[in-house]
Every structure is written in structure tokens, then in C-alpha cells.
Amino acid sequence: MTILYHNSSQIIQVEDQGRLYKRGAEMSEIPILEKGWMLVENGKIIDLGSGKCPGCERYDESVDLQGKLVLPAFVDSHTHLVYAANREDEFAMRLSGKSYAEIAAAGGGILNSARKLAEAPEEALLHGAYHRLQDLMRMGTGALEIKSGYGLSTESELKMLRIVRQLKEKSGLDIKSTFLGAHAIPEKFKGNQEGYVNLVIDEMLPAIAEKSLADYVDVFCEEGYFNLDQSLRILEAAKAYGLSAKVHVNQFNSLGAIEAMVDMGALSLDHLEVMSPKEISYLADSQTIATALPGCSLFLDIPYAPGRAIIDEGGILALATDFNPGSAPGGNMALMMSLACTQMKLSTEEALVAATLNGAAAIEMSDEIGSLERGKWANFITLPPGFSLASIPYHFGHNLIMDLYLKGEKKL
Ligand SMILES: N=CN[C@@H](CCC(=O)O)C(=O)O
Ligand SMILES: [Zn+2]
């Protein structure tokens, strides 16, 4: 089945040389096809160009884009989409002056979500997550990563990862799953942190690997959660099962994780709100993707990751939502682009690369998605005629997305 998409105002390709990510100054160069057309065969782009399509008589169907703007669907490479309940009560506590750390210390936070998840039937969890997933799609997300981490027991972590698998099957979306058993120390292991780390390594990891339920491993490496040594032990153990690391680091404190985790070959280091100049340089010089989560900074009123400096030093920057019920209850990638531009001082081009190609690289899918090039899936979004790339971050909080096409098929 060959489909010709034609009559766009522009096709913003993001990349046209087959690069699997863009770093530093490359992030501001993005190829754009004026009055672009795209020929798609069985879901993959086989040709594309500007103006009239030469030799394009051979198609089964043609779609008139009526002057709409076309760009790659967003890739959200860091979410906690599966959870049992919102935490508006904690939000109210924060508004009256309590900090995220104080709420967590009083048994709220991740432990609150874990208690609720343990009680929730699988069907209800699937239903809630699927509903949120559809919301994300309406806002232009075409692929994402979802973490476990509200289980904190072997049984509940497996339950979460099974739901991620079901979400994949039910939605047909590209979804990568990450095992985050080391998200917090469960009540039962208070005072016995090492016991919990051993449980993650000796029981959870083998059980998850046996069922191939995870693509990646993650740890919340932070004061009051998992120290550097414990984090590295978990990541190394997971490596033996073929799981690469995507890690929560430097959200509130720097524990020296960046250097150590770059050296162990982490795929991405995420959060990064607190970074020293040395850490910025070390990460920017590496192949590890720096993933900024500006929704979390906005919602918790904490610093933004130094995205500008990471790009200026030549790093690979991705943007993701961190969608979760505690620190970032929102999944709008366009809003992440707005925050990246206004707060982290990225250009609109850099923000788009971070939200598409580099996000795809952060889930190892940038050979298939994240840009509109020959050989990639036709995963794209459209904006109404008259809008430009800059309109996306400019109209902060608005949803300008008209259509989402995945593998050349209109999803909405
Ligand atoms: N910081 C650790 N984990 C999540 C928040 C989890 C929660 O509060 O439920 C984050 O990425 O911000
Ligand atoms: Zn997170």
C-alpha cells in the first residue's frame, strides 16, 4: 500500500543524513521541506521532497494535507505512566509549605503510590494508564518509555511491567519499559536498605529478565533513596541481563553519579537539575544522553537542568515529561518545549530535536523514528495551516496538534 501525502506548508524533517542523534551545535540545524510531500509504503517513508513530486503517479491513495505543517511525532523517553491514583492531597500539602522531601519522609510520595498500586486490580491500572496514554497521543506523542517503580515488591513490580506490556499490545504504540524497583525503600525494609537492594538484585531482576518484561533498568540515585554504591551494584547486575541504564540522577543532590554512570555506559541520565560545571562537561563529552524533565522543575519549583550549557558544551540533550502523580502530573511534550525555550534558553529548533530525534535515541529507536527521513516509519503530527515550528513553544500549554499518524496510519 503506497500513500502520497502532499500539499503541506512544510515538512520539518529534523534530520536527513541518517544521524541517530544530534549533539551540540547540530541541534540547531534542522532540514525543512517547503511545500513538502512524502511517499509512504507500508508505513515507511520511501521518498520525500519539496514542491511537485517527480514521478509520483504510482500510489494507491493520496492524502491532501491542505496546507498543514508536518513534523515528527514526539518521543517521550521518561514517564511513570502506570499508577493507581493521583496525589492531589500532597499537592495541597506542598501549597501550604511542605516540601517534596518532607511529604516523602511522612510516608507520602512514592510510598503512597506504592501502597495504592498494591491494592489496585490489574484491570483498573491498565484502564487508567491507557486513558492517560490516549491523552498523550492527542498531544502528539507517538512513542514513549514507561517505568515501573510503584511496585517495590517482586509481585507488584511484575504487575506494573505486565501492564506496560499490555499497553503496548492494546495501543500498538512503540513503548519501551524500564524496571525501576529501586525507586524508594519500602516500609518493610526501613533500616535494612541493603536487604532491599539484595531483593532487587537477587529476586526482582531475575524474575523480570526471565519474562523479558523490561528493556532498561533505572534507580533513583538520591539522598534518602539509593546511594551511589547501591545504585551501581543494581545497574551492574542488570547489565548482566542485557539491560542498559536510564537513571534518575542529580534531582536534588549530586552524589557523584554522573561520572560513574557515564563510565559504566549508561544510555541516558535523567533529571540533572543540580549539576556542577565539571559534571556538565563530563556528560556533554560522552555518548550518554542527558534527559531534561522541565515539567518536574515547574511543578516542584526546583532548578531546571542546565540544557543550554549541555548543548553549548556539545552534549546530546533530550526532553521528556516525567509524567507521574507526584512530581510531574502532566504529559504535554509541547509544553516541555516551551519550558525548554523560556527557562532553559533553548532555541525552538533545539527544543524540537530534543523532543523527537534525541528522545528516540534515548529509547534506542532513532533508527526507526524521531525524524522524517527515507527508511523511517511515517510517524508524524500536523498543525493547522498558518502555524510554524515556533508556534508550538510559543502557545505554551495549548494543544495545536491536529492529527497523529503512526506508520502512515491516522490515529487521530
Ligand atoms: N524522582 C523520582 N521519581 C519521580 C517522582 C516519583 C513520585 O513522586 O511519584 C520523578 O522522576 O520525579
Ligand atoms: Zn522520573
Side-chain angles (χ1 to χ4, degrees):
M1 171 80 159
T2 307
I3 307 175
L4 175 69
Y5 298 89
H6 65 103
N7 195 25
S8 71
S9 60
Q10 293 181 323
I11 295 179
I12 302 182
Q13 286 186 272
V14 169
E15 167 61 359
D16 62 359
Q17 317 271 310
R19 279 177 286 196
L20 294 180
Y21 54 81
K22 290 195 179 197
R23 65 188 316 144
E26 295 169 346
M27 290 180 69
S28 29
E29 306 151 9
I30 57 169
I32 294 178
L33 300 168
E34 297 297 334
K35 300 207 181 311
W37 54 268
M38 202 159 54
L39 197 58
V40 174
E41 190 173 66
N42 300 329
K44 284 202 167 152
I45 302 168
I46 55 168
D47 204 0
L48 71 177
S50 232
K52 248 190 109 39
C53 170
C56 268
E57 287 79 40
R58 202 180 39 83
Y59 53 78
D60 302 308
E61 206 181 286
S62 84
V63 175
D64 184 350
L65 292 165
Q66 300 174 318
K68 288 187 266 193
L69 176 72
V70 171
L71 56 152
F74 296 128
V75 181
D76 192 349
S77 63
H78 180 137
T79 82
H80 306 250
L81 201 70
V82 177
Y83 56 85
N86 287 330
R87 307 213 304 254
E88 281 105 340
D89 48 343
E90 293 182 8
F91 179 48
M93 284 162 79
R94 278 205 302 109
L95 297 180
S96 64
K98 290 258 180 301
S99 71
Y100 183 81
E102 284 165 344
I103 293 166
I110 296 165
L111 295 187
N112 180 2
S113 284
R115 276 192 299 274
K116 292 191 172 128
L117 187 125
E119 290 157 14
E122 241 168 278
E123 218 170 286
L125 286 170
L126 177 64
H127 181 80
Y130 187 65
H131 182 80
R132 289 188 280 278
L133 187 61
Q134 286 178 310
D135 261 358
L136 300 194
M137 288 169 73
R138 277 190 280 274
M139 294 186 281
T141 295
L144 69 159
E145 179 257 20
I146 306 177
K147 298 171 193 301
S148 66
Y150 294 128
L152 310 184
S153 70
T154 307
E155 189 194 345
S156 292
E157 284 293 309
L158 285 168
K159 170 162 131 180
M160 285 191 79
L161 292 169
R162 276 197 304 272
I163 287 158
V164 178
R165 178 173 280 176
Q166 289 177 62
L167 281 173
K168 238 184 264 190
E169 289 162 1
K170 196 169 149 90
S171 67
L173 232 61
D174 289 315
I175 299 177
K176 292 285 184 96
S177 60
T178 300
F179 167 53
L180 176 55
H183 198 191
I185 312 288
E187 313 271 12
K188 236 173 86 179
F189 285 86
K190 272 234 160 88
N192 179 18
Q193 289 223 3
E194 285 300 315
Y196 186 63
V197 172
N198 292 338
L199 182 79
V200 169
I201 294 174
D202 299 334
E203 192 176 294
M204 292 187 190
L205 262 174
I208 284 155
E210 197 216 309
K211 297 191 165 59
S212 302
L213 278 169
D215 301 296
Y216 302 112
V217 65
D218 191 350
V219 175
F220 187 15
C221 183
E222 181 58 62
E223 271 175 27
Y225 294 85
F226 298 88
N227 65 31
L228 182 56
D229 176 61
Q230 293 165 335
S231 303
L232 290 173
R233 271 172 49 216
I234 293 169
L235 301 183
E236 287 295 346
K239 214 184 206 177
Y241 292 101
L243 306 182
S244 306
K246 291 172 67 64
V247 200
H248 284 73
V249 297
N250 292 52
Q251 183 177 4
F252 301 106
N253 298 283
S254 171
L255 308 188
I258 290 177
E259 203 176 317
M261 290 181 189
V262 163
D263 288 352
M264 61 133 345
L267 173 63
S268 73
L269 294 181
D270 303 20
H271 270 292
L272 309 170
E273 289 88 345
V274 175
M275 281 179 97
S276 70
K278 226 175 115 214
E279 288 175 314
I280 294 173
S281 302
Y282 204 83
L283 182 55
D285 277 347
S286 77
Q287 289 297 110
T288 299
I289 297 163
T291 303
L293 308 169
C296 174
S297 300
L298 174 77
F299 195 68
L300 292 189
D301 193 19
I302 60 175
Y304 285 81
R308 178 73 269 142
I310 290 169
I311 295 176
D312 287 346
E313 297 218 16
I316 313 167
L317 186 81
L319 285 172
T321 63
D322 195 18
F323 194 173
N324 75 75
S327 69
N332 185 342
M333 284 295 285
L335 178 61
M336 298 309 110
M337 284 179 61
S338 299
L339 294 170
C341 292
T342 60
Q343 307 302 307
M344 293 160 54
K345 311 300 176 202
L346 267 62
S347 68
T348 55
E349 289 82 4
E350 289 167 335
L352 182 65
V353 172
T356 55
L357 184 68
N358 287 358
I363 55 169
E364 294 178 299
M365 289 203 70
S366 56
D367 55 338
E368 298 182 68
I369 58 170
S371 60
L372 300 173
E373 304 179 73
R374 286 178 193 83
K376 285 198 176 180
W377 292 113
N379 282 15
F380 61 94
I381 50 183
T382 71
L383 264 67
F387 287 94
S388 66
L389 165 58
S391 311
I392 301 174
Y394 171 77
H395 288 292
F396 69 96
H398 279 235
N399 184 13
L400 301 176
I401 312 302
M402 277 192 96
D403 315 296
L404 169 71
Y405 286 86
L406 296 178
K407 300 188 174 165
E409 208 179 293
K410 194 166 175 338
K411 293 290 178 186
L412 42 97

